[in-house]
Amino acid sequence: MTRAARQIRGERGTALFLAIMLVTMLAAIGSAAILASHTETLISASFRQGREARYVADGGVSRAIADLAGLPDWSAALSGLATSTFVDGPPAALKTLPGGGTALLCCSASSLTASLQLRGNGGGDWGPNTPQWKIYGWGRASAWRGEDQIQSAFYVAVWVADDAGDGDGDPARDSNGTVVLNGVALGPRGTRRAVQAVVQRAVSVGGAPGGVRLRSWRESRW
């Protein structure tokens, strides 16, 4: 083999090596772009689901407030005798979530009610005045107005508890016209948002029931 032939063969080998390196680099750049796009899509979807969950939790609490306004005595709700007009069968039955999975609302130690009782009072203990959370309303968000009008993969549940400040020593009796509501929205991929509201029965000047007044409303940690 002549010197010129060996030189041409060496140049071909170098060109092949450079071509392989270039293809490898382009493949890596393409993979990184696809991964970045996929990650951005997931982040965007997570943000949308989180926002929808907040709206659903808000809606559940609003529905519960509307039902409470029609009760002459909130003690019925605090004792568990009265529930919202929005319910999805017996609360102790395992619920299939529209976004996938199941949830046990009450009343065992592994239920959401038991979990709320552990953390819903901020770890506080007021002895006999310690609020006892009772499930009040629950169901698919799409059932509010029918799936043809509301398309949602979220399930919502709302609990009610006595105001610890009434000091009557009975968490199942409302003595000051004030209760606390905690609503949680359960959605796909474990998405969960909760809101808590303190509401007070409003009284008109003549002493007749005047509806419900919202004292506070905030997003809570579940």
Side-chain angles (χ1 to χ4, degrees), residues 173-214:
R173 181 163 60 95
D174 174 40
S175 298
N176 63 349
T178 303
V179 295
V180 185
L181 294 168
N182 199 309
V184 61
L186 308 169
R189 302 183 186 87
T191 303
R192 183 179 295 187
R193 293 292 187 277
V195 296
Q196 187 174 102
V198 178
V199 296
Q200 186 175 45
R201 191 181 294 281
V203 180
S204 64
V205 177
V212 176
R213 182 170 66 90
L214 182 65

Side-chain angles (χ1 to χ4, degrees), residues 6-21:
R6 288 196 299 268
Q7 184 176 0
I8 292 174
R9 185 174 181 179
E11 291 176 352
R12 287 177 177 174
T14 302
L16 178 61
F17 175 75
L18 291 176
I20 293 174
M21 289 296 295

Side-chain angles (χ1 to χ4, degrees), residues 54 58 61-62 65 195-198 214-219:
R54 170 63 187 273
D58 282 344
V61 171
S62 295
I65 291 175
V195 296
Q196 187 174 102
V198 178
L214 182 65
R215 286 181 46 185
S216 68
W217 189 297
R218 65 178 178 85
E219 187 168 3

Side-chain angles (χ1 to χ4, degrees), residues 110-186:
S110 59
S111 67
L112 291 179
T113 298
S115 177
L116 177 60
Q117 189 61 41
L118 289 175
R119 67 189 71 185
N121 302 321
D125 185 356
W126 295 270
N129 289 305
T130 302
Q132 300 297 313
W133 293 94
K134 297 293 183 180
I135 186 75
Y136 184 64
W138 61 94
R140 295 170 178 247
S142 60
W144 282 333
R145 295 182 61 86
E147 294 189 7
D148 58 330
Q149 300 184 50
I150 299 178
Q151 297 181 357
S152 176
F154 281 86
Y155 196 97
V156 61
V158 181
W159 289 261
V160 61
D162 195 15
D163 171 35
D166 68 1
D168 63 1
D170 186 357
R173 181 163 60 95
D174 174 40
S175 298
N176 63 349
T178 303
V179 295
V180 185
L181 294 168
N182 199 309
V184 61
L186 308 169

Side-chain angles (χ1 to χ4, degrees), residues 39-51 189 191:
T39 301
E40 184 176 347
T41 300
L42 290 177
I43 292 174
S44 178
S46 178
F47 175 77
R48 289 196 304 270
Q49 286 183 350
R51 183 170 57 182
R189 302 183 186 87
T191 303

